[in-house]
Amino acid sequence: MDAVNLLGLTNLIGFDLEGLAAYCEQLGEKRFRATQLFRWIHQKGASDFDQMSDLAKSLRDKLASRAHITALPVISEHLSADGTVKWLFDVGAGDAVEAVFIPETDRGTLCISSQAGCAVGCRFCSTGHQGFSRNLDTGEIIAQLWYAEHSMRKRLGKSERVISNVVMMGMGEPLQNYNALVPALRMMLDDHGYGLSRRRVTVSTSGVVPMIDRLRDDCPVALAVSLHSPTDPLRDQLVPLNKKYPIAELLDACNRYLDKAPRDFITFEYCMLDGVNDTPEQAHALVDLLRGHVSCKINLIPFNPFPASGLKRSSRERVMAFAEILIQSGLVTTVRKTRGDDIDAACGQLAGEVQDRTQVQVRMVRAPMMVKGAGSS
Ligand code: SAH
Ligand code: SF4
């Protein structure tokens, strides 16, 4: 999303408080106006400057002539029988990303995307199979939360916060879009913004080791690491990034992260693939790898199959037997419930059915040509 549209108006949705303060200064306004503006946008969901009753009319007019507050166009919205809501957002040039709201009795969780497509290319992930299209900018990341929060408030007739937890588990590898991610995380945590607890904002990563270290220093939030295998040869195949950052290095980074993490454990995600990573021997190997080495919880995820993967979901019995070995060995383990199955909102199915893979491949082939063209002009 371009910050400035065709009419020359600046979209304020992706500005964090600092950015908005700088913008206000440019307009010759006091910095504290930025706090008011930020609260109107993110706490109250205002998209019209005329709603902002505590700003002087002259400032509202000035803003309206220079700026706008616009989220992403919604391509579709699906409501599941269990209350899960899935939105598909248009991010231009044929790309779409998804966000999913999952209501539970004591919380509301929003799963959002960080990229259109993903470059990591995990075997079992439909986003990975699509290839990488582009990074989302901060505005496009936060717009998913803005839209979900304020549309759900209206739908549920609530004036208070509906979304208490955000997980970066939609499309994309958040730590390969670090510069856009961190300001978006700060907006989620900001008391003038969404006011979410650090413990309730989770970055999920396939293991970009140097960026785990940077996140620890810049903006420590809860961390989930997609492990999926207790050994390097198998993980190399499932998560190609493992060849660059093998398991031992990844676990060291997890331990460094724990020094500053808001929670005293790392969540390891483990997608259960029939006959691939779900044997009792592999469960024992996982225990040996983690017990006493990294403070953690393990989340076993039933695989959501898609045709191109050639993989199958482990049976319920197999998952339970695997979980039992971990639990008996003292590792805290949960088996993820699948939610929103009827609307394809479960993990790894986001936007899978919508993306035109042919287009993505064409774009990937064209990209180097565009770079060459830009350099020679
Ligand atoms: N790129 C990040 C975050 C997005 S993926 C990461 O990999 O962690 C979010 C989670 O969904 C990851 O744990 C990923 O392994 C899992 N996942 C991907 N495809 C899946 C599928 N088909 N079935 C079940 N889980 C899947
Ligand atoms: Fe990318 Fe995560 Fe999918 Fe792997 S699982 S391809 S890192 S989105």
Side-chain angles (χ1 to χ4, degrees):
M1 158 159 63
D2 288 328
V4 179
N5 71 6
L6 292 173
L7 301 172
L9 302 179
T10 304
N11 192 357
L12 302 184
I13 203 159
F15 283 22
D16 62 9
L17 197 45
E18 263 311 296
L20 218 45
Y23 182 78
C24 284
E25 275 189 330
Q26 254 180 35
L27 294 186
E29 295 290 335
K30 297 260 170 21
R31 282 178 77 92
F32 79 89
R33 293 285 174 214
T35 309
Q36 287 175 300
L37 200 49
F38 194 72
R39 293 172 69 111
W40 274 109
I41 299 171
H42 297 288
Q43 289 188 344
K44 303 203 180 92
S47 54
D48 182 348
F49 297 110
D50 269 339
Q51 286 172 270
M52 305 182 180
S53 48
D54 56 358
L55 298 186
K57 178 87 174 89
S58 56
L59 173 56
R60 283 182 294 179
D61 290 345
K62 199 196 272 186
L63 286 167
S65 69
R66 291 175 168 82
H68 64 122
I69 301 153
T70 307
L72 294 165
V74 178
I75 298 171
S76 64
E77 180 182 273
H78 294 281
L79 178 62
S80 161
D82 66 13
T84 300
V85 185
K86 177 177 82 165
W87 297 273
L88 183 66
F89 295 104
D90 183 358
V91 293
D95 288 319
V97 298
E98 282 193 351
V100 180
F101 172 70
I102 305 149
E104 285 172 278
T105 41
D106 57 340
R107 70 184 117 170
T109 302
L110 185 72
C111 173
I112 62 182
S113 298
S114 56
Q115 299 178 314
C118 182
V120 178
C122 299
R123 273 279 315 274
F124 51 85
C125 173
S126 67
T127 307
H129 277 247
Q130 286 162 26
F132 177 66
S133 194
R134 70 170 176 88
N135 279 329
L136 300 188
D137 63 27
T138 301
E140 289 166 327
I141 296 173
I142 212 71
Q144 299 169 62
L145 174 57
W146 185 91
Y147 186 85
E149 172 67 35
H150 298 294
S151 69
M152 287 313 297
R153 275 191 210 175
K154 277 195 203 110
R155 170 174 301 175
L156 301 172
K158 295 206 169 158
S159 54
E160 291 294 295
R161 185 166 74 189
V162 173
I163 293 164
S164 57
N165 297 56
V166 171
V167 294
M168 301 297 308
M169 292 187 187
M171 295 175 78
E173 169 48 58
L175 295 187
Q176 288 188 339
N177 185 13
Y178 190 82
N179 291 342
L181 173 74
V182 168
L185 295 176
R186 292 202 174 115
M187 292 165 81
M188 294 174 199
L189 302 176
D190 200 317
D191 282 337
H192 298 296
Y194 297 87
L196 299 181
S197 149
R198 277 182 196 281
R199 302 155 59 88
R200 290 169 171 264
V201 174
T202 302
V203 167
S204 175
T205 180
S206 55
V208 191
V209 165
M211 294 300 155
I212 293 176
D213 286 327
R214 283 190 61 190
L215 189 68
R216 175 194 67 164
D217 295 331
D218 292 341
C219 191
V221 292
L223 187 69
V225 171
S226 297
L227 193 57
H228 310 307
S229 160
T231 59
D232 281 320
L234 176 60
R235 195 165 189 271
D236 284 347
Q237 287 179 37
L238 297 175
V239 184
L241 195 67
N242 194 68
K243 293 179 201 140
K244 197 159 178 196
Y245 307 114
I247 294 174
E249 284 181 34
L250 180 56
L251 299 189
D252 284 349
C254 289
N255 275 322
R256 292 193 294 275
Y257 195 85
L258 283 169
D259 289 344
K260 291 194 187 167
R263 289 184 180 273
D264 58 6
F265 60 89
I266 302 285
T267 302
F268 288 112
E269 292 160 284
Y270 196 102
C271 178
M272 299 294 289
L273 303 165
D274 182 49
V276 174
N277 64 356
D278 64 348
T279 66
E281 294 72 39
Q282 285 162 323
H284 287 294
L286 193 59
V287 171
D288 292 341
L289 182 71
L290 298 176
R291 192 175 52 185
H293 299 292
V294 187
S295 166
C296 65
K297 290 188 181 174
I298 297 168
N299 194 207
L300 301 178
I301 314 172
F303 170 57
N304 292 303
F306 59 99
S309 72
L311 297 163
K312 287 195 293 239
R313 176 188 286 195
S314 305
S315 69
R316 179 97 198 136
E317 297 72 57
R318 202 89 168 175
V319 175
M320 294 328 279
F322 197 95
E324 199 50 38
I325 293 171
L326 303 182
I327 292 165
Q328 289 301 326
S329 312
L331 291 175
V332 178
T333 305
T334 51
V335 178
R336 185 179 291 169
K337 282 183 288 186
T338 53
R339 295 286 304 261
D341 262 354
D342 52 335
I343 56 166
D344 270 358
C347 271
Q349 294 193 311
L350 303 183
E353 75 282 19
V354 196
Q355 262 285 356
D356 178 350
R357 284 175 57 209
T358 328
Q359 269 187 13
V360 172
Q361 276 156 9
V362 169
R363 230 184 338 264
M364 286 168 76
V365 173
R366 277 198 195 138
M369 279 159 53
M370 282 158 55
V371 172
K372 217 167 133 194
S376 59
S377 63

